[in-house]
Every structure is written in structure tokens, then in C-alpha cells.
Amino acid sequence: MADKISAENLLNNLMDTFAEKRKPVSFFEGESSNSLHSQFRRLFGRQKPVHHLLGGGKSADVLLWRDKKISASVLTSATSVWVLFEWLNYHLLTLVCFALVLIMLVQFVWSNASGYSSSVPSEVPRLALPEDFFVNIAKTVGAEVNRGLRFIQDVSCGGNLKQFLVVVGSLMSAAVIGGWCNFLTVIYIGFVAAHTLPVLYERHEDEVDNFVYKILDEMQNRLSLDAGFLSRISKGKLKGKKYD
């Protein structure tokens, strides 16, 4: 009898402990799954940080303002070039000639002043670009152009209608914007957007994602309501015709 009671007590204790351990685990699993679902509900379904999506290298550091001095200097240089060409109506040949004249004047003054000031003239610094400088630029530009062409052809041959329409709409929008302003202004707008929008999104990604998903949910609800309303109208017209 005692053995039976002890066995029953042991069985009951095991069942109680199993139930006690199981309840909090299921609760926390549900909570963690909900938190993960809310955490990964990012724009375009992304699950990686913005820095990783931008390449994760020095270019991503510049675009996300990891080093504020470098990012500010790059944006200032681009703005200066745009102001020179657009507001002051300079041309590339004019700027190149002015720069070469300035370099020649500096070298001329340096060489003559050093000859008068000392018996042994100091060596004038020479400006020389590396031989592979333009080769690297050409390789980089060619690789980016080929990657863009590959992406466009993959979209056109992939069979994804939604992605195809998005790319075609983007190209048509770029064509319309290009009709409003010249090519340099379009490049400058894209350059400024690339140096401002990613860092703003990274700082306020939760608010932006929630706002975008709210708009998408509202549009989806309205479209579903409109589709239901139109289906009712069509059914009513068909019934009326059948009755006649």
C-alpha cells in the first residue's frame, strides 16, 4: 500500500512539475515569436541592417555618416561642383584651363623666388597622376554599368510582373525628371539623396517602417472594400438583367 501511494505521489509530482515548466515556456515562446515578428517587419521584408545592405565597406560608412568629416567634405565637394557648373555657368574645359594656369603660375613663382632667395634653387613640386588611376576608374565604372545592365535583363527575363512594373515605372520617372532638369542636376539630386536618405532612415527606421506599413494596410483595406463594392454592383446588374 505504501509503495502504491509513493508511486502515485511520485507520478503526481512529476506531472505537476512538467505542467509548471511547460506553461511559462509556452508563454515566453509566444511572446518571443511575437516580438521577433514585430522586430523583423521591416521595409521590403529586409532582415539585415542598413549598413550591410549598402555594402558594409567605406562607401557605406560615408553614406551613413560614420565619419562626419569625410561625409561632409564629399557632400561639400559635390555641392561646389554643382554650383560652379549650374549657378556660375562654368564649363569643364574652362575649369580645366583655369586649374592648369593656376598650377603653372604657382610653379613659375616658386622656381623664380627660390632662385633669387638662395644660391641653390629648391626643387619645384611636380603634379603627376598614377598610371593606373584612370584604369581603375574605367574598371569601376564598367563593373557598375554591367551590373546595372545585368539587373535590368534579369528583371525583364525573370517573369516577376510586379518587379518588372516597378523598374519600368522607376525608369519612366527618371526620364520625366530628366526632362525637367539637365543630367548634372539629376546626378547631384541622386548624390544628395544617397547621402541623406539612408542615414535618416537608419536613425528613424522604426517610425518609417510603421508609417509605410500603416499606409499599405489602409490601401489594401480600401482596395478590398472597393472590390467588394464593385462585385456587389456587378451581381446586382446581372440579377436585374436575368429578371428582365
Side-chain angles (χ1 to χ4, degrees):
M1 186 72 179
D3 294 334
K4 186 176 181 180
I5 294 173
S6 62
E8 289 180 357
N9 291 331
L10 180 61
L11 184 60
N12 292 328
N13 291 330
L14 289 174
M15 293 297 293
D16 292 335
T17 54
F18 181 76
E20 288 177 359
K21 289 182 179 180
R22 188 175 180 82
K23 287 180 181 179
V25 169
S26 63
F27 176 75
F28 285 116
E29 282 181 356
E31 185 179 359
S32 61
S33 63
N34 291 330
S35 63
L36 288 174
H37 178 72
S38 61
Q39 181 180 0
F40 287 130
R41 199 187 182 204
R42 295 299 185 187
L43 197 61
F44 303 113
R46 67 175 184 86
Q47 296 182 2
K48 296 179 181 180
V50 181
H51 187 270
H52 188 275
L53 294 177
L54 293 176
K58 293 183 179 180
S59 59
D61 294 337
V62 173
L63 293 177
L64 295 176
W65 292 72
R66 295 289 191 265
D67 192 345
K68 295 182 179 180
K69 292 182 179 179
I70 296 177
S71 301
S73 61
V74 170
L75 190 58
T76 303
S77 301
T79 305
S80 301
V81 171
W82 182 74
V83 168
L84 286 173
F85 283 104
E86 290 299 319
W87 284 8
L88 301 180
N89 292 325
Y90 277 93
H91 298 282
L92 181 61
L93 181 61
T94 305
L95 290 177
V96 170
C97 292
F98 282 165
L100 292 176
V101 168
L102 181 62
I103 292 172
M104 291 180 65
L105 287 175
V106 170
Q107 290 180 344
F108 179 79
V109 172
W110 190 312
S111 61
N112 288 285
S114 61
Y116 286 117
S117 61
S118 61
S119 58
V120 180
S122 62
E123 185 177 358
V124 179
R126 300 294 183 95
L127 180 63
L129 295 176
E131 294 181 358
D132 56 348
F133 177 73
F134 294 101
V135 176
N136 293 330
I137 292 177
K139 287 182 178 180
T140 303
V141 173
E144 294 298 326
V145 170
N146 287 328
R147 187 171 68 174
L149 292 175
R150 194 182 305 114
F151 172 75
I152 292 174
Q153 295 174 34
D154 290 339
V155 170
S156 60
C157 300
N160 191 345
L161 181 60
K162 182 178 179 181
Q163 190 177 15
F164 178 78
L165 292 177
V166 169
V167 174
V168 171
S170 301
L171 292 176
M172 294 299 295
S173 300
V176 173
I177 294 173
W180 295 343
C181 49
N182 56 13
F183 184 65
L184 181 62
T185 304
V186 172
I187 293 178
Y188 177 70
I189 292 173
F191 192 84
V192 173
H195 282 77
T196 53
L197 295 181
V199 65
L200 292 175
Y201 175 71
E202 187 185 35
R203 292 179 181 178
H204 307 283
E205 57 181 348
D206 294 332
E207 292 83 355
V208 173
D209 291 340
N210 291 328
F211 179 73
V212 172
Y213 275 109
K214 285 181 180 178
I215 293 177
L216 292 177
D217 292 338
E218 186 176 356
M219 290 176 63
Q220 187 175 3
N221 292 329
R222 289 188 177 181
L223 288 175
S224 62
L225 290 175
D226 292 339
F229 181 72
L230 292 175
S231 64
R232 290 179 182 177
I233 293 176
S234 61
K235 288 180 181 179
K237 288 183 178 180
L238 289 174
K239 287 181 181 179
K241 289 181 179 179
K242 188 179 288 187
Y243 179 76
D244 292 337

Short mmCIF file of all heavy atoms in Angstrom, two decimals, residues 27-51:
data_model
loop_
_atom_site.label_atom_id
_atom_site.label_comp_id
_atom_site.label_asym_id
_atom_site.label_seq_id
_atom_site.Cartn_x
_atom_site.Cartn_y
_atom_site.Cartn_z
N PHE A 27 4.46 30.34 -22.84
CA PHE A 27 4.16 31.77 -22.78
C PHE A 27 5.29 32.59 -23.35
O PHE A 27 5.10 33.47 -24.19
CB PHE A 27 3.88 32.17 -21.33
CG PHE A 27 3.65 33.65 -21.15
CD1 PHE A 27 2.48 34.25 -21.54
CD2 PHE A 27 4.66 34.45 -20.65
CE1 PHE A 27 2.28 35.60 -21.38
CE2 PHE A 27 4.48 35.81 -20.48
CZ PHE A 27 3.28 36.38 -20.84
N PHE A 28 6.51 32.28 -22.91
CA PHE A 28 7.64 33.06 -23.39
C PHE A 28 7.94 32.77 -24.85
O PHE A 28 8.43 33.63 -25.58
CB PHE A 28 8.88 32.77 -22.54
CG PHE A 28 8.83 33.42 -21.18
CD1 PHE A 28 8.79 32.66 -20.03
CD2 PHE A 28 8.79 34.80 -21.08
CE1 PHE A 28 8.73 33.27 -18.80
CE2 PHE A 28 8.74 35.41 -19.84
CZ PHE A 28 8.70 34.64 -18.69
N GLU A 29 7.67 31.54 -25.28
CA GLU A 29 7.86 31.27 -26.71
C GLU A 29 6.90 32.08 -27.56
O GLU A 29 7.27 32.64 -28.58
CB GLU A 29 7.64 29.77 -26.98
CG GLU A 29 8.83 28.91 -26.58
CD GLU A 29 8.57 27.46 -26.89
OE1 GLU A 29 7.44 27.16 -27.32
OE2 GLU A 29 9.49 26.66 -26.71
N GLY A 30 5.65 32.19 -27.12
CA GLY A 30 4.70 33.01 -27.87
C GLY A 30 5.09 34.47 -27.86
O GLY A 30 5.01 35.17 -28.87
N GLU A 31 5.57 34.93 -26.69
CA GLU A 31 5.97 36.33 -26.61
C GLU A 31 7.19 36.61 -27.47
O GLU A 31 7.28 37.63 -28.16
CB GLU A 31 6.27 36.67 -25.14
CG GLU A 31 6.58 38.14 -24.92
CD GLU A 31 6.83 38.44 -23.45
OE1 GLU A 31 6.74 37.51 -22.63
OE2 GLU A 31 7.10 39.61 -23.15
N SER A 32 8.16 35.66 -27.44
CA SER A 32 9.36 35.88 -28.26
C SER A 32 9.04 35.82 -29.73
O SER A 32 9.60 36.56 -30.53
CB SER A 32 10.41 34.83 -27.91
OG SER A 32 9.91 33.53 -28.20
N SER A 33 8.12 34.91 -30.12
CA SER A 33 7.75 34.85 -31.54
C SER A 33 7.06 36.12 -31.99
O SER A 33 7.31 36.63 -33.09
CB SER A 33 6.85 33.64 -31.78
OG SER A 33 5.63 33.78 -31.06
N ASN A 34 6.18 36.68 -31.12
CA ASN A 34 5.53 37.94 -31.48
C ASN A 34 6.53 39.07 -31.58
O ASN A 34 6.46 39.92 -32.47
CB ASN A 34 4.45 38.28 -30.45
CG ASN A 34 3.29 37.30 -30.52
OD1 ASN A 34 2.99 36.78 -31.59
ND2 ASN A 34 2.64 37.06 -29.40
N SER A 35 7.49 39.10 -30.62
CA SER A 35 8.49 40.16 -30.65
C SER A 35 9.38 40.04 -31.88
O SER A 35 9.73 41.02 -32.52
CB SER A 35 9.34 40.12 -29.39
OG SER A 35 10.05 38.89 -29.32
N LEU A 36 9.74 38.79 -32.23
CA LEU A 36 10.54 38.61 -33.44
C LEU A 36 9.76 39.01 -34.68
O LEU A 36 10.30 39.59 -35.61
CB LEU A 36 10.99 37.15 -33.54
CG LEU A 36 12.07 36.70 -32.56
CD1 LEU A 36 12.30 35.21 -32.68
CD2 LEU A 36 13.35 37.46 -32.78
N HIS A 37 8.46 38.67 -34.69
CA HIS A 37 7.63 39.05 -35.85
C HIS A 37 7.55 40.56 -35.99
O HIS A 37 7.66 41.11 -37.08
CB HIS A 37 6.25 38.45 -35.69
CG HIS A 37 5.33 38.82 -36.82
ND1 HIS A 37 5.46 38.31 -38.10
CD2 HIS A 37 4.26 39.67 -36.86
CE1 HIS A 37 4.52 38.81 -38.88
NE2 HIS A 37 3.79 39.64 -38.16
N SER A 38 7.37 41.26 -34.86
CA SER A 38 7.31 42.72 -34.92
C SER A 38 8.67 43.32 -35.22
O SER A 38 8.78 44.37 -35.82
CB SER A 38 6.77 43.27 -33.59
OG SER A 38 7.64 42.91 -32.54
N GLN A 39 9.75 42.62 -34.77
CA GLN A 39 11.08 43.15 -34.99
C GLN A 39 11.48 43.05 -36.46
O GLN A 39 12.10 43.94 -37.01
CB GLN A 39 12.08 42.40 -34.12
CG GLN A 39 13.52 42.90 -34.25
CD GLN A 39 14.46 42.11 -33.37
OE1 GLN A 39 14.02 41.20 -32.67
NE2 GLN A 39 15.72 42.46 -33.41
N PHE A 40 11.12 41.94 -37.12
CA PHE A 40 11.55 41.72 -38.48
C PHE A 40 10.54 42.22 -39.49
O PHE A 40 10.65 41.91 -40.68
CB PHE A 40 11.82 40.24 -38.70
CG PHE A 40 13.07 39.74 -38.05
CD1 PHE A 40 13.04 38.61 -37.27
CD2 PHE A 40 14.27 40.41 -38.20
CE1 PHE A 40 14.19 38.15 -36.66
CE2 PHE A 40 15.41 39.96 -37.60
CZ PHE A 40 15.38 38.83 -36.82
N ARG A 41 9.52 42.94 -39.07
CA ARG A 41 8.58 43.51 -40.04
C ARG A 41 9.16 44.82 -40.55
O ARG A 41 8.72 45.91 -40.22
CB ARG A 41 7.22 43.73 -39.38
CG ARG A 41 6.11 43.86 -40.41
CD ARG A 41 4.81 44.24 -39.77
NE ARG A 41 3.76 44.32 -40.76
CZ ARG A 41 2.65 45.04 -40.62
NH1 ARG A 41 2.45 45.71 -39.52
NH2 ARG A 41 1.74 45.06 -41.57
N ARG A 42 10.18 44.69 -41.34
CA ARG A 42 10.89 45.83 -41.87
C ARG A 42 10.43 46.12 -43.29
O ARG A 42 9.75 45.32 -43.92
CB ARG A 42 12.40 45.59 -41.84
CG ARG A 42 12.98 45.45 -40.44
CD ARG A 42 12.77 46.70 -39.64
NE ARG A 42 13.41 46.64 -38.35
CZ ARG A 42 13.25 47.56 -37.40
NH1 ARG A 42 12.46 48.61 -37.62
NH2 ARG A 42 13.84 47.44 -36.24
N LEU A 43 10.88 47.28 -43.78
CA LEU A 43 10.51 47.71 -45.12
C LEU A 43 11.11 46.76 -46.15
O LEU A 43 12.28 46.38 -46.07
CB LEU A 43 11.01 49.13 -45.35
CG LEU A 43 10.39 49.90 -46.51
CD1 LEU A 43 8.90 50.08 -46.31
CD2 LEU A 43 11.05 51.27 -46.65
N PHE A 44 10.28 46.34 -47.13
CA PHE A 44 10.64 45.41 -48.19
C PHE A 44 11.06 44.05 -47.64
O PHE A 44 11.75 43.28 -48.31
CB PHE A 44 11.78 45.96 -49.06
CG PHE A 44 11.47 47.29 -49.68
CD1 PHE A 44 12.17 48.42 -49.30
CD2 PHE A 44 10.46 47.40 -50.61
CE1 PHE A 44 11.88 49.64 -49.86
CE2 PHE A 44 10.17 48.63 -51.18
CZ PHE A 44 10.87 49.76 -50.79
N GLY A 45 10.66 43.74 -46.40
CA GLY A 45 10.96 42.44 -45.81
C GLY A 45 12.41 42.22 -45.48
O GLY A 45 12.87 41.07 -45.38
N ARG A 46 13.19 43.27 -45.29
CA ARG A 46 14.61 43.10 -45.03
C ARG A 46 14.83 42.62 -43.60
O ARG A 46 14.06 42.93 -42.69
CB ARG A 46 15.36 44.42 -45.25
CG ARG A 46 15.01 45.52 -44.26
CD ARG A 46 15.86 46.75 -44.45
NE ARG A 46 15.56 47.74 -43.44
CZ ARG A 46 16.12 47.76 -42.25
NH1 ARG A 46 17.01 46.86 -41.93
NH2 ARG A 46 15.80 48.69 -41.37
N GLN A 47 15.91 41.85 -43.41
CA GLN A 47 16.29 41.35 -42.10
C GLN A 47 17.74 41.69 -41.77
O GLN A 47 18.29 41.17 -40.81
CB GLN A 47 16.09 39.82 -42.05
CG GLN A 47 14.65 39.40 -42.20
CD GLN A 47 14.48 37.90 -42.08
OE1 GLN A 47 15.45 37.18 -41.86
NE2 GLN A 47 13.26 37.43 -42.23
N LYS A 48 18.35 42.54 -42.55
CA LYS A 48 19.74 42.93 -42.33
C LYS A 48 19.81 44.43 -42.08
O LYS A 48 18.95 45.18 -42.54
CB LYS A 48 20.60 42.57 -43.55
CG LYS A 48 20.67 41.07 -43.80
CD LYS A 48 21.51 40.77 -45.03
CE LYS A 48 21.57 39.27 -45.30
NZ LYS A 48 22.38 38.96 -46.50
N PRO A 49 20.82 44.90 -41.35
CA PRO A 49 20.92 46.35 -41.11
C PRO A 49 21.21 47.12 -42.39
O PRO A 49 21.64 46.56 -43.40
CB PRO A 49 22.09 46.44 -40.12
CG PRO A 49 22.86 45.18 -40.29
CD PRO A 49 21.85 44.13 -40.65
N VAL A 50 20.96 48.43 -42.31
CA VAL A 50 21.13 49.28 -43.49
C VAL A 50 22.59 49.31 -43.93
O VAL A 50 22.89 49.33 -45.13
CB VAL A 50 20.62 50.70 -43.17
CG1 VAL A 50 20.77 51.61 -44.39
CG2 VAL A 50 19.17 50.66 -42.74
N HIS A 51 23.50 49.30 -42.99
CA HIS A 51 24.93 49.34 -43.31
C HIS A 51 25.33 48.12 -44.13
O HIS A 51 26.13 48.22 -45.07
CB HIS A 51 25.74 49.41 -42.02
CG HIS A 51 27.21 49.62 -42.24
ND1 HIS A 51 28.10 48.58 -42.38
CD2 HIS A 51 27.95 50.76 -42.36
CE1 HIS A 51 29.32 49.06 -42.56
NE2 HIS A 51 29.25 50.37 -42.57
#
